Amino acid sequence: MSVTAAPSWSRARQEPGWLARVFDSKPFLIVACLFPAVGLLMVFLTYPLGLGIWLAFTDTRIGRSGQWVGLENFEYLMGDPTFWTAVFYSVFYTAVATVGKFALGLWLALLLNNHLPFKSLIRAIILLPWIVPTVLSAIAFWWIYDPQFSIISYVFVDVLGLRDRYFDFLGSAWPARFSLIAANIWRGIPFVAICLLAGLQTISPSLYEAALLDGATPWQRFTRITVPLLMPILAIVMTFSIIFTFTDFQLVYAITRGGPVNSTHLMATLAFQRGIAGQELAEGAAIAVAMIPFLVFATLFSYFALARRKWQQGESND
Amino acid sequence: MATVSLRGLTKRYGAAVAVAGVDLAIAESEMVALVGPSGCGKTTVLRMIAGLIEPDAGQVLIGGADVTRAPAHKRNLGLVFQSYALFPHLSVFENVAFGLRRRRVPEAEIGRRVSQALALVRLEGFEGRFPRQLSGGQQQRVALARAVVTEPRVLLLDEPLSNLDAGLRDAMRVELRRLQQSLGITTIFVTHDQEEALTLADRVAVMRAGRIEQVGAPQEVYERPANAFVAGFVGRTNLLDAVVVGAADALLHLSGPGGVPLVVRGAAPPGARVRLALRHEKLRLGDAPPDAANVHLAEVALAAFAGAQCQYLLRLPGGLELQAEAPSNAVFPRGAQVTAWWTADDMILLPAETADA
Ligand SMILES: Nc1ncnc2c1ncn2[C@@H]1O[C@H](COP(=O)(O)OP(=O)(O)O)[C@@H](O)[C@H]1O
Ligand SMILES: [Mg+2]
């Protein structure tokens, strides 16, 4: 019996067409799939940012394209007291408002984490300041702080009779600054409270019971269990809150427009004031660019504070 | 170490009664299991003993003193939670030391007692790890160490082994017993696994719907179940309804389902309706000895091989189906005709019971 060559059962593979080859090649796929996302980012994020930075180094005015002037805008700002007031107030505003928001927000979250009657209704109400458009609540605060029609003055003077003169909330520098911070805290509390409440609810109640059996006091349960377990989410929320507060514009612009005498300008409102209202586009851009180091610092803070703590590492193992 | 005694312990959640008058006395250094199906109120009883929830009625006595209204940390108990409840942000050392620090024990003594407790659960060298870096069994042992390091009077364990896989569970069962005996600590543990309760405990309390149905040594509960529920829950059992047709020589002759004649030791008036329990392993297959009072020809309806044992479903001529478990040295195939037999003492005559069973 002669040995014959084993017959080849598989049909000869057809060479794939060029289209199929293109769609099979990895480099092409990478480019094709990334293009839409990268394109959108370039057009809507990178281009305006790049343009803003470029403008900061020119002498552009509205209606007149400018020339490259190097650091001239920044040199001018260095000697501008209004700019330094805005830098100071931006930092002060962010610091005080963040402390206020987190103290009150955490307190509120702890309250809401208990069993309360009408819990879900209260949670819904708490979100209201955050849902209302900022400009709307800014206008409401504008009325609340009005020298003649302020409800607070009305209550203190006409109802309770505790004072004989109306408050002058917005008429001088420091009262105006604190009034704006109060408005910002009011607006920011819901975000902080709801985020921290979500964090609190991830902590297993049995941890508190275990501590209770060992005789931990309520304060010890708060400092030994709640705070360390809340740290990861606290760091995230705080980073976001700092960035939102530092770049705030609407509240200040709607209530005081930076006055009285530029004392309540934030860097963002001053940038708008100089760049758009004052037509010095390049100078406004320079102020905006000066905000970048502060924001980079806040982001770095988050990066290091959010770095996974040692106890979070390792697989959870059941 | 101390005694624990529960008197009429009751807890309601709205209209639902989670625990309905539990009475139980636990002796010094005794290990008692609360066993029952899920939702029967075992955890609630344990949490009332621990002081984490307040009973609506009844008393908890520890060492003879009424602690019903005492706060949890004044009771000096150790509790191992079902979820272990280890502090994820603290190392093994700090987890175990937590209770000692709250009690303001000096630092040197903390070090000594923590290493002692970790040695007891065989976790030396794990002091610096965090709970996430431990396996389930190791986490459970940390929880145990944390519960015993404060030298509590009573140790409470909520489903201590149910989160572990089968092999580890057997190993931990032995560990747990060894630990309890070496410390001589009064222990109450909760489980839904009757086998775990039987193997581990000095005494078993079988619960159903917030009540204790029977308390006794494992053997006693197994061999003399107080009612059909206990007979069905503890061990693998056939439950049969039968009518008494006659009595002779302390033996009852009954007519079972499908008219199958049955013989059991016991007393009941003729015509009485009774329930019988027949353990799977008491039903034997093959040639019957002369003293076998119950001998039936049966067909193997199902046969399942389970290692050392084979499980069978047998169909008797009257249509009665019985389950049996026999050593697998002789395997009967499906469809085979076999002789099934058991003695008058193998079957348990259950006390007359109210309609709910
Ligand atoms: N906090 C609670 N609120 C309402 N019902 C509860 C609560 N805790 C337990 N129960 C009810 O009480 C019964 C007993 O629960 P539990 O003691 O946890 O059962 P087991 O531990 O035996 O599974 C269950 O029916 C359960 O639904
Ligand atoms: Mg339970």
Side-chain angles (χ1 to χ4, degrees), chain A residues 52-133:
Chain A
I53 292 174
W54 185 76
L55 283 175
F57 295 93
T58 65
D59 61 356
T60 311
R61 293 174 55 94
I62 287 188
R64 196 198 75 195
S65 65
Q67 303 279 313
W68 178 266
V69 294
L71 290 172
E72 206 171 284
N73 288 321
F74 294 96
E75 280 160 15
Y76 169 73
L77 287 176
M78 289 297 129
D80 177 8
T82 309
F83 171 74
W84 285 112
T85 310
V87 170
F88 161 75
Y89 185 54
S90 291
V91 173
F92 182 77
Y93 181 82
T94 306
V96 177
T98 302
V99 169
K101 272 185 264 197
F102 275 80
L104 294 172
L106 181 58
W107 177 68
L108 208 58
L110 289 169
L111 273 185
L112 287 177
N113 200 32
N114 291 325
H115 291 288
L116 288 178
F118 309 113
K119 195 155 146 182
S120 44
L121 186 70
I122 296 174
R123 284 186 195 170
I125 291 173
I126 296 237
L127 274 177
L128 274 180
W130 203 54
I131 293 166
V132 175

Side-chain angles (χ1 to χ4, degrees), chain A residues 12 38 50 55-56 67 82 84 97 137-139 154 191 213 241 250 267 296 301 306:
Chain A
V38 171
L55 283 175
Q67 303 279 313
T82 309
W84 285 112
S137 50
I139 290 171
Y154 173 77
F191 175 70
L213 281 172
S241 176
Q250 298 182 63
M267 290 171 84
V296 167
F301 167 80
L306 291 182

Side-chain angles (χ1 to χ4, degrees), chain A residues 206-207 209-216 220 224-225 228-229 308 310-318, chain B residues 47 50 52 72-73 79 81 83 85-89 98-99 102-103 130 132-136 139 146:
Chain A
S206 57
L207 296 183
E209 290 175 345
L212 192 70
L213 281 172
D214 281 326
Q220 285 172 334
R224 307 282 162 141
I225 300 172
L229 291 182
R308 280 162 79 80
K310 207 167 157 219
W311 60 267
Q312 289 176 293
Q313 279 158 9
E315 292 295 301
S316 84
N317 211 333
D318 310 272
Chain B
R47 291 165 62 83
L52 294 174
H73 65 275
L79 173 59
F81 291 82
S83 60
L86 299 180
F87 302 117
H89 59 295
F98 191 87
R102 299 288 82 74
R103 287 169 175 77
F130 287 94
R132 269 177 174 254
Q133 301 164 325
L134 299 177
S135 73
Q139 289 182 11
R146 187 177 68 176

